[in-house]
Amino acid sequence: MSGKFDAKAHVAHMEVVMGLTLEEGWRPVVETHIAATQKAAELVLSFPLEDDVEAAPVFEA
């Protein structure tokens, strides 16, 4: 990941793109959730992929 993630800016951008307005009481909750989700994604993406990873079999019912 490049650069520092800004949850406040991301939430503001989401409001514009989605045409939403968050109530002020919910803004910190949403910003905290977005920041935690971003941190988790960065953690997952930081692990190297193994060369010998195979897809799990798919079974149809």
Side-chain angles (χ1 to χ4, degrees), residues 21-43:
T21 302
L22 290 174
E23 293 182 23
E24 287 305 312
W26 280 100
R27 183 173 298 281
V29 175
V30 174
E31 290 170 354
T32 300
H33 175 74
I34 293 292
T37 303
Q38 178 69 17
K39 188 172 184 176
E42 289 175 1
L43 177 65

Side-chain angles (χ1 to χ4, degrees), residues 6-56:
D6 182 357
K8 290 181 187 243
H10 184 79
V11 170
H13 178 73
M14 282 178 22
E15 286 183 299
V16 172
V17 170
M18 298 174 79
L20 301 172
T21 302
L22 290 174
E23 293 182 23
E24 287 305 312
W26 280 100
R27 183 173 298 281
V29 175
V30 174
E31 290 170 354
T32 300
H33 175 74
I34 293 292
T37 303
Q38 178 69 17
K39 188 172 184 176
E42 289 175 1
L43 177 65
V44 168
L45 294 173
S46 70
F47 287 100
L49 295 176
E50 298 292 332
D51 291 338
D52 60 351
V53 173
E54 295 181 18

